[in-house]
């Protein structure tokens, strides 16, 4: 569907608080099942010995996942990794052409890695624009890319059907977020000069139809983040530096959630929709969408939150590039080291229950045998 630049909207921002009490929590796999499936070291795959990091309550292991099935190192850079909530799949982009059989190109392409088997599958429907995405059930991989002179969301089913679709979301630029499947998606779209407005759109969970919920009168980033079931959406007005929430039950927009006169930047909405992470000043805040209160996490820069909303991935406040990564249990206040080397991570970098974290780093001493001199994707597993 092509967005019409002249379409009007009657969506208005409301300051009302959602009255919905419904919460859909993701069914969690047991720790034993997850660790057994994920932490087994594949033949030839470099993996560090399990260790107990300073301050940790769980022993950990780390492995490099941007390698071929036989452990061969990638011959070019990899980046933009996300992990499925269940912790069984990782998606990333790479310029390497030796990660999957028959790959002879040298363009950046999207790959899906099955962590239980170490097999990589290339998703080759157009060149990715930005990091690829996995749906909340881990069954659909998607990425934005150009389609003629439009921006489109390319999607591929990882099941037996293997179909792909390309949804044309904008005639200029587009950002997207995915819930459980094609019925739970959000977009921010903008148009060519001289138009300066952007629209925030969502597929309604009741009808599957596309609905405009807000119009933002600038071109600054919106970065939508949607819950698994599509009933909640968080987004930012990057120009005004405000963060807003939309709730399907009342079809209302609430915010700015950070309060008046305070600049904020959205990080991510948790998959179950109960927590919205945003940055303000040198601190991170975890907003509870039910109570409207926020947990203050001082002097850290939030990077991602796990699907349940309990574990916050963060880096030192004020960093603008690769830096050490730490995982915090927001209930106990415990910090666990993900890596003490310069690294970076995307939203959707943490699996449910904080069991796994994917990140990228150019450091060559995270795992043994890293001699390719490239940026690689790593997986930290907490047992």
């Amino acid at each position: 569907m092509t967005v019409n630049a002249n379409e009007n909207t009657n969506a208005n921002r409301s300051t009302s608080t959602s009255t919905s009490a419904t919460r859909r929590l993701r069914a969690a796999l047991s720790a034993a099942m997850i660790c057994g499936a994920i932490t087994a070291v594949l033949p030839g795959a470099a993996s560090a010995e399990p260790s107990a990091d300073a301050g940790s309550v769980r022993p950990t292991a780390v492995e490099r996942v941007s390698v071929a099935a036989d452990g061969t190192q990638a011959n070019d850079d990899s980046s933009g990794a996300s992990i499925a909530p269940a912790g069984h799949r990782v998606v990333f982009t790479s310029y390497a052409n030796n990660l999957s059989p028959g790959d002879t190109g040298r363009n950046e392409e999207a790959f899906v890695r099955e962590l239980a088997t170490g097999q990589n599958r290339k998703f080759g429907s157009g060149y990715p624009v930005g990091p690829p995405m996995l749906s909340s059930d881990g069954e659909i991989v998607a990425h934005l890319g150009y389609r003629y002179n439009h921006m489109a969301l390319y999607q591929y089913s990882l099941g037996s059907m293997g179909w792909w679709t390309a949804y044309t979301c904008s005639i200029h630029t587009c950002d997207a977020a995915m819930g459980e499947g094609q019925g739970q998606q959000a977009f921010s779209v903008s148009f060519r000069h001289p138009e300066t407005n952007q629209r925030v759109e969502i597929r309604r969970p009741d009808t599957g139809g596309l609905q405009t919920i807000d119009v933002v009168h600038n071109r600054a980033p919106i970065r939508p983040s949607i819950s698994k079931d599509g009933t909640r959406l968080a987004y930012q007005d990057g120009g005004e530096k405000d963060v807003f929430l939309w709730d399907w039950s009342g079809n209302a927009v609430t915010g700015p959630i950070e309060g008046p006169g305070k600049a904020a930047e959205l990080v991510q909405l948790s998959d179950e929709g109960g927590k919205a992470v945003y940055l303000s000043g040198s601190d991170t805040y975890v907003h509870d969408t039910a109570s409207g209160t926020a947990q203050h996490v001082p002097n850290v820069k939030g990077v991602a939150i796990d699907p349940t909303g309990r574990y916050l991935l963060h880096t030192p406040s004020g960093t603008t590039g690769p830096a050490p990564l730490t995982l915090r249990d927001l209930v106990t206040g415990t910090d666990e080291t993900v890596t003490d080397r310069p690294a970076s991570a995307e939203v959707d970098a943490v699996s449910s229950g904080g069991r796994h974290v994917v990140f990228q780093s150019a450091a060559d001493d995270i795992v043994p045998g890293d001699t390719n001199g490239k940026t690689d994707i790593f997986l930290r597993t907490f047992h």
Side-chain angles (χ1 to χ4, degrees), residues 93-284:
T93 60
S94 183
Y95 285 97
N97 66 354
N98 64 340
L99 297 179
S100 62
D103 187 359
T104 59
R106 293 308 293 262
N107 295 303
E108 186 177 31
E109 295 179 291
F111 293 86
V112 177
R113 185 171 180 87
E114 302 288 342
L115 294 175
T117 65
Q119 298 296 318
N120 299 318
R121 285 186 280 179
K122 185 178 70 172
F123 173 47
S125 298
Y127 303 131
V129 175
M133 297 170 278
L134 281 167
S135 59
S136 295
D137 58 8
E139 294 303 312
I140 298 175
V141 60
H143 69 73
L144 291 166
Y146 291 105
R147 189 183 192 191
Y148 307 111
N149 62 342
H150 295 67
M151 184 73 75
L153 181 69
Y154 291 89
Q155 302 171 90
Y156 185 87
S157 171
L158 297 173
S160 58
M161 292 179 64
W163 48 258
W164 71 274
T165 61
Y167 170 77
T168 303
C169 56
S170 177
I171 59 175
H172 185 234
T173 64
C174 179
D175 201 354
M178 295 189 68
E180 191 168 27
Q182 291 194 86
Q184 300 83 26
Q185 297 172 338
F187 303 94
S188 62
V189 299
S190 65
F191 313 102
R192 294 190 177 94
H193 183 79
E195 178 64 54
T196 60
N197 293 337
Q198 298 182 83
R199 291 208 310 243
V200 182
E201 298 180 333
I202 192 167
R203 288 195 183 279
R204 287 189 63 92
D206 54 345
T207 67
L210 201 63
Q211 175 187 351
T212 298
I213 65 169
D214 203 351
V215 175
V216 176
H217 303 292
N218 58 68
R219 288 183 174 272
I222 289 177
R223 300 177 55 207
S225 185
I226 192 172
S227 65
K228 173 185 177 179
D229 60 9
T231 62
R232 290 183 180 83
L233 174 72
Y235 64 96
Q236 67 179 27
D237 181 334
E240 297 295 329
K241 300 187 185 305
D242 289 325
V243 176
F244 296 90
L245 296 173
W246 172 84
D247 190 290
W248 167 75
S249 62
N251 192 24
V253 174
T254 304
I257 63 173
E258 75 277 6
K262 188 176 183 180
E265 176 185 352
L266 177 67
V267 175
Q268 187 178 11
L269 180 70
S270 64
D271 208 47
E272 47 81 25
K275 306 290 184 182
V277 179
Y278 66 88
L279 310 177
S280 185
S282 60
D283 301 335
T284 295

Side-chain angles (χ1 to χ4, degrees), residues 286-302:
V286 182
H287 178 89
D288 187 285
T289 61
S291 67
T293 60
Q295 181 176 353
H296 182 203
V297 189
N299 301 316
V300 301
K301 178 183 178 182

